[in-house]
Structure formats: structure tokens, C-alpha cells
């Protein structure tokens, strides 16, 4: 069967173009000035280094040998613009980005902290929650899953920058949670790779060329409609395809019982065909007088399946697909946006973004930002970093009043001069801002910077195989450490919550 519904239910007005937005600038809802938007615009990714193996070290978001991690090579930043850019490379399996289910840590990691080797037991930092209530909705969802309540799913929507775009940290956290509580599906994915380093573990994805994209990092969509993942896709011609399938190997992602396609009906829409396991399930005419986002769901017997979205012509506009199962467990959406700062989430039309969040209905939203803010230094004033961050989180909290939220603090970041590594002085300032905002809006906070060892730690991590060669990203082993630390911190807080709840019962 299939079901089509506007996200969030009938009480949410259809999302449409922002009436007062000028045609030549992106729609805004009042958080950032045009100067801030220019500072925040993502550099266009350079594809030339992919043409020859000798240029591999210049490729964006490509893992380097010997556990060096992900390296971002910034290109000159273009001026902010409204429009689309063509995806000229097919979305295919990027085996070099895949993380094994068990990541072996370099022996030198033992010289940093014992927890980096043991990876079990007590985390180096707890989840900070001055209110004592920030994580309660998520923990209630976990408790329902743990007792196998029918229909229970603990759903996590995890937003972040390039680390999350490559499913670093999030893959480890997803696997650890699903191993303990059950695999309820892979979650949300973009229609295609909006950046060369976009990747998801434990699922099979493919897309042809022929998608045009607008992104919250630019070029911007005039109407501010980007779906949940910050990217709007539009087909250029007939035959454009996106495919999503269960994993063929490994422990996780081997079954699905429900696909959901998040797309847009609009006046210039085209025809879209949905195939499941090679058979046509539905042909949808996405042309409509009024613009509105729609969620089309397709139930299948729990097991291995493939979904295909075919554009029969230009004008099909879609955001992404999610995969879930009708079994108690955990789902984790890795919603990574390369080059993003948290304030970029406000590029979306407010009503539309709230609608998308409610349609996904996560028990927990997570925000892992700071790397690109550290690239800005203090050129974007830190008081505005704080105010815009708070405004975005206030929007999310208003859209999801019954869910939990968690901020994952920035990693340390260093510069190397000669043989000397020096942490960027803005990092502890950003960490302090995130901790303060988390308390103000009622979110939990995980101190990644402190867990790593504070100032000077990235140089040590890089020398011990846990930090990337760019001294900004983790290596695959470093991402494994952070992901497991997050898992341990969440489980420590969860067990404490369960103990308190049990003691409070008569």
C-alpha cells in the first residue's frame, strides 16, 4: 500500500514561496544579514582532483591512507546566489568511505586516554543537563523500545557538517544503539550526493546525473524549501533516477518494511514513477496549483528491498527518502551538510522546516557544529554566533516540544607551524557558547573538546592516528572513538534516568 500526506498533518499550512522575499536574494526569516550570509556561504567543491589518482590528496572529503581521516581543501568562496547547480557525477558506492563495523584503533592511541582503547565503561565526559529533563523524552522512547512495546521507535535526527555528511561518528553511534536496542531502519538520506563526500554506511545508494540542486549553503532556493536535509533536488530531463536499497553485507541495514519519499507538489512539477523491487508501485503527477510538500509512504514485507524514484521529465522536485522497519528499535538520520554552520539551517522557510521536523517526529535531535565556525574565526562575531544558534534551536524546540535535543561540542582544531601544533583560540570560545546556549534552550551538551583533552589535543590526536591530516577532522579511528564516547555518555545518562524513575515509583 501507499499513503500520501502533507508532513505534519492538516493543521500545518502548506509551505510555499516567501511572499516578501526579493527575487534576487534567498528568503530569510531575520537571523543573518547579507554580509553574514556571504561569510557563511560554502565554497564550491572542486571536481578536477577526481580526474587523476595523482591529485587524490586534493580531493574534497576523501579519506587518506594510514588513517589520516577526512581533509577539506577549501576553494575560493563564490558570492551568495539564488539558483541551482547541476550534479555532474553519478552517486555510486564509495567503498573508500565505508567504515568497518569494528574499527581497529592505532596502538599509539593508548598514549592519549585509556578510554580510547577500551571504548567501554565510563565516558570521559558525561551528558551535561542542568535541567535534569533535557533527555527525558528520548529516554522514554528508549525505555519503550527496550520493553519491546508495539510500534515503538526511538528516532534520532542528527544534524551536522562534513563529519556527519560522511556518516563519521553517526555510523558508530547508530550501530551501537541498534546493536543494543534493535535495528528499526536506516533513516533519512538525500536523493543523491549533493557533495562528493556525502555517504551513508549500511545501505546501498545510487543516482544518475541529471539532478539540479539548491542548498542551504548555496546556491539558494528562491522559495526556501529544502526538505529535512537542507537540499532541494529537481530533475533536468526524463530518466533521472535515484535508488535506495537495503545493505547486501554486514550486520546492519539488511531489512526494511517502509519507504517514505519526501517530495514537492508545485506548479512546474513533472511525473515521477515509484518502483519497488523492479515493479511499478505508483506514477505520481507532482504538478499542482499550490506548492506543498508531501510524504509518500510504501509498505513492504520486512526484508531486503529496493526503491527507485524515476523522473519522467523535468520539474520533479524531491528532498530525500527514509527507510524504517515495523519493529522496536532505533533509527538515526545522519543529516550532514558540508560547509554548514548551525545558523545555515535558518535558510529554510520557517514553516516548511518545522513541518519537515514534525513529519520525521524524532525523539532526539542532535546538532554537531563548530568546525566551519572555527574556520570563520571571529570574522563572524561570536555574539552573533550565539544569537543565531539560539534562534535555530528555539525554532526546533518550538516545532518539537515533546522531544529531546543534544548539542555535541566542537572538536579541537589546530594549525601546524614547523613541528609545533597550536589549537585555534576560537575553539574553547565556541565550546563555551554551545554549552551556554544548550542550557538556555533546554538541550543536553556533550563536551567533545574536553573529552579529547582540551587545548592542544588535536595535535596529539593527529600524531597518534586519531586526527585527520587537516587537523580539523577525525580519522576513521578518531570518529569511532567519538561515536563510542557519545554512546557511552548517552547510556550512562539513560541508566541514571531509569534508576531515578524506578526510585520515584511508589
Amino acid at each position: 500500500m501507499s499513503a500520501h500526506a502533507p508532513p505534519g498533518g492538516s493543521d500545518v499550512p502548506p509551505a510555499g514561496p516567501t511572499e516578501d522575499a526579493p527575487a534576487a536574494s534567498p528568503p530569510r526569516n531575520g537571523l543573518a544579514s547579507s554580509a553574514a550570509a556571504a561569510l557563511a556561504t560554502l565554497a564550491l567543491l572542486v571536481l578536477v582532483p577526481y580526474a587523476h589518482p595523482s591529485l587524490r590528496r586534493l580531493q574534497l572529503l576523501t579519506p587518506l591512507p594510514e588513517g589520516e581521516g577526512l581533509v577539506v581543501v577549501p576553494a575560493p568562496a563564490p558570492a551568495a546566489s539564488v539558483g541551482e547547480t547541476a550534479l555532474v557525477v553519478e552517486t555510486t558506492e564509495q567503498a573508500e568511505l565505508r567504515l568497518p563495523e569494528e574499527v581497529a584503533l592505532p596502538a599509539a592511541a593508548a598514549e592519549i586516554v585509556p578510554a580510547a582503547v577500551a571504548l567501554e565503561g565510563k565516558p570521559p565526559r558525561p551528558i551535561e543537563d542542568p535541567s535534569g529533563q533535557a533527555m527525558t523524552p528520548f529516554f522514554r522512547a528508549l525505555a519503550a523500545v527496550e520493553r519491546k512495546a508495539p510500534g515503538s521507535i526511538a528516532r534520532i535526527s542528527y544534524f551536522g557538517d562534513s563529519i556527519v555528511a560522511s556518516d563519521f561518528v553517526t555510523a558508530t553511534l547508530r550501530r551501537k544503539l541498534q546493536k543494543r536496542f534493535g535495528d528499526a531502519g536506516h533513516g533519512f538520506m538525500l536523493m543523491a550526493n549533493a557533495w562528493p563526500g556525502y555517504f551513508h554506511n549500511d545501505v546501498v545508494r545510487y543516482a544518475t546525473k541529471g539532478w539540479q540542486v539548491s542548498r542551504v549553503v548555496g546556491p539558494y532556493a528562491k522559495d526556501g524549501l529544502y526538505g529535512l536535509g537542507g537540499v532541494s533536488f529537481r530533475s533536468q530531463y526524463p530518466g533521472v533516477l535515484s535508488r535506495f536499497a537495503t545493505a547486501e553485507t554486514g550486520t546492519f541495514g539488511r531489512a526494511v518494511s517502509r519507504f517514505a519519499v519526501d517530495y514537492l507538489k508545485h506548479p512546474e512539477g513533472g511525473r515521477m514513477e515509484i518502483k519497488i523491487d523492479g515493479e511499478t508501485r505508483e506514477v505520481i503527477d507532482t504538478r499542482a496549483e499550490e506548492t506543498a510538500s508531501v510524504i509518500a509512504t510504501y509498505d513492504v514485507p520486512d526484508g531486503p528491498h529496493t526503491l527507485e524514484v524515476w523522473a519522467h521529465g523535468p520539474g520533479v522536485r524531491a528532498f530525500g527518502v527514509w527507510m524504517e522497519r515495523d519493529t522496536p528499535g532505533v533509527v538515526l538520520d545522519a543529516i550532514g551538510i558540508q560547509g554548514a554552520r548551525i545558523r545555515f539551517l535558518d535558510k529554510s522557510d520557517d514553516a516548511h522546516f518545522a513541518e519537515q521536523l514534525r513529519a520525521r517526529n524524532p525523539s532526539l535531535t542532535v546538532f554537531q557544529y563548530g568546525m566551519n565556525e572555527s574556520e570563520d574565526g571571529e570574522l563572524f562575531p561570536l555574539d552573533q554566533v550565539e544569537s543565531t544558534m539560539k534562534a535555530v534551536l528555539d525554532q526546533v524546540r518550538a516545532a518539537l516540544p515533546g522531544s529531546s535535543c543534544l548539542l555535541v561540542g566542537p572538536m579541537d582544531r589546530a594549525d601546524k607551524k614547523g613541528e609545533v601544533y597550536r589549537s585555534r583560540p576560537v575553539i574553547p570560545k565556541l565550546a563555551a557558547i554551545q554549552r551556554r546556549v544548550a542550557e538556555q534552550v533546554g538541550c543536553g551538551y556533550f563536551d567533545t573538546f574536553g573529552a579529547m583533552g582540551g587545548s592542544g589535543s588535536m595535535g596529539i590526536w593527529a600524531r597518534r592516528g586519531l586526527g585527520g591530516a587537516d587537523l580539523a577532522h577525525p580519522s576513521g579511528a578518531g570518529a569511532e572513538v567519538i561515536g563510542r564516547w557519545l554512546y557511552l555518555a548517552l547510556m550512562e545518562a539513560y541508566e541514571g534516568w531509569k534508576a531515578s524513575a524506578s526510585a520515584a515509583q511508589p
Side-chain angles (χ1 to χ4, degrees):
M1 62 175 291
S2 64
H4 297 254
S10 60
D11 59 332
V12 180
T18 307
E19 294 179 0
D20 59 357
S25 63
R28 297 299 300 113
N29 298 294
L31 288 192
S33 65
S34 58
L39 272 173
T41 302
L42 171 67
L44 291 176
L45 297 178
V46 181
L47 296 180
V48 172
Y50 288 84
H52 194 276
S54 67
L55 300 178
R56 186 173 186 268
R57 199 170 260 280
L58 299 181
Q59 294 174 0
L60 297 182
L61 279 177
T62 298
L64 297 176
E66 300 177 1
E68 292 183 61
L70 298 175
V71 175
V72 174
V73 182
S81 62
V82 173
E84 297 175 313
T85 188
L87 299 183
V88 297
V89 178
E90 290 183 334
T91 294
T92 57
E93 287 297 295
Q94 302 175 82
E96 71 277 8
L97 290 176
R98 187 178 297 117
L99 289 176
E101 291 184 10
E102 296 296 332
V103 177
L105 300 184
E111 300 178 28
I112 301 176
V113 280
V117 174
L119 294 175
E120 299 296 346
K122 189 173 179 61
R125 288 290 189 277
I127 300 294
E128 299 176 23
D129 177 15
S131 72
Q133 301 296 321
M135 304 301 295
T136 295
F138 178 57
F139 290 161
R140 284 176 177 159
L142 279 183
V145 167
E146 195 166 35
R147 63 176 181 268
K148 303 300 181 185
S152 60
I153 292 180
R155 192 176 290 114
I156 304 168
S157 290
Y158 197 122
F159 294 85
D161 47 35
S162 53
I163 295 176
V164 179
S166 293
D167 207 18
F168 266 36
V169 178
T170 45
T172 298
L173 182 58
R174 183 191 299 113
R175 289 165 172 174
K176 295 288 285 183
L177 288 168
Q178 290 185 343
K179 184 176 181 180
R180 172 167 174 178
F181 295 97
D183 180 352
H186 183 80
F188 176 86
M189 297 157 284
L190 294 175
M191 297 299 295
N193 289 358
W195 306 276
Y198 184 85
F199 183 75
H200 279 253
N201 288 280
D202 307 324
V203 70
V204 177
R205 300 170 53 253
Y206 170 78
T208 63
K209 295 179 285 186
W211 289 112
Q212 294 272 102
V213 295
S214 299
R215 305 173 291 213
V216 295
V217 292
Y220 303 117
K222 183 178 178 181
D223 56 15
L225 308 182
Y226 301 98
L228 190 69
V231 184
S232 171
F233 296 80
R234 184 180 62 83
S235 62
Q236 293 180 269
Y237 42 73
V240 177
L241 162 69
S242 291
R243 179 185 298 130
F244 305 84
T246 47
E248 298 173 352
T249 60
T251 306
F252 305 96
R254 302 300 297 272
V256 63
S257 50
R258 181 171 52 257
F259 293 99
V261 181
D262 189 1
Y263 70 96
L264 200 69
K265 285 193 171 185
H266 62 113
E268 292 78 38
R271 287 165 60 82
M272 176 176 72
E273 183 177 2
I274 305 298
K275 289 186 175 183
I276 296 180
D277 299 332
E279 300 293 329
T280 297
R281 177 67 69 95
E282 186 173 19
V283 177
I284 303 168
D285 187 353
T286 69
R287 185 183 300 272
E289 292 185 6
E290 299 293 330
T291 299
S293 46
V294 181
I295 308 294
T297 59
Y298 302 93
D299 295 329
V300 293
D302 189 60
H305 296 283
T306 299
L307 172 102
E308 293 179 335
V309 179
W310 287 88
H312 282 193
V316 171
R317 193 166 166 192
F319 304 122
V321 166
W322 61 77
M323 297 165 59
E324 291 192 349
R325 300 177 65 200
D326 289 327
T327 184
V330 171
V331 174
L332 191 151
D333 307 324
I335 306 175
I337 304 171
Q338 188 180 329
R341 289 76 168 155
I342 191 171
R343 64 183 179 270
F344 284 21
L345 297 180
D346 190 60
K347 298 290 184 183
S348 290
D349 175 85
D350 285 352
H352 172 72
F353 188 48
E355 181 185 49
Q356 292 287 305
L357 287 167
R358 287 194 290 267
R360 198 68 191 102
N361 192 29
S363 307
L364 171 66
T365 51
V366 182
F367 302 89
Q368 183 176 355
Y369 292 95
M371 181 180 305
N372 296 303
E373 285 87 346
S374 71
E375 183 66 27
D376 298 336
E378 297 190 36
L379 291 176
F380 189 86
L382 294 184
D383 61 337
Q384 293 185 44
V385 170
E386 183 164 353
S387 63
T388 54
M389 180 188 303
K390 184 177 183 300
V392 167
L393 293 175
D394 281 340
Q395 289 179 15
V396 174
R397 299 288 283 157
L400 300 169
S403 87
S404 297
C405 68
L406 174 68
L407 270 70
V408 176
M411 296 178 61
D412 188 30
R413 182 172 185 174
D415 296 304
K416 184 180 180 183
K417 293 184 179 180
E419 297 302 314
V420 178
Y421 296 84
R422 288 192 174 89
S423 293
R424 295 196 177 182
V426 74
I427 293 292
K429 297 178 183 179
L430 291 172
I433 287 171
Q434 291 194 16
R435 176 183 279 112
R436 187 160 56 244
V437 171
E439 182 175 0
Q440 291 170 357
V441 301
C443 297
Y445 179 72
F446 180 78
D447 181 11
T448 313
F449 177 63
M452 289 178 64
S455 292
S457 56
M458 179 52 84
I460 300 171
W461 271 49
R463 291 195 298 268
R464 300 297 186 266
L466 298 180
D470 62 356
L471 305 180
H473 292 79
S475 67
E480 177 82 359
V481 169
I482 295 172
R484 293 201 185 194
W485 280 350
L486 273 172
Y487 170 77
L488 293 174
L490 284 168
M491 292 303 95
E492 178 184 65
Y494 174 58
E495 295 299 334
W497 174 84
K498 284 199 301 182
S500 297
S502 177
Q505 292 179 353

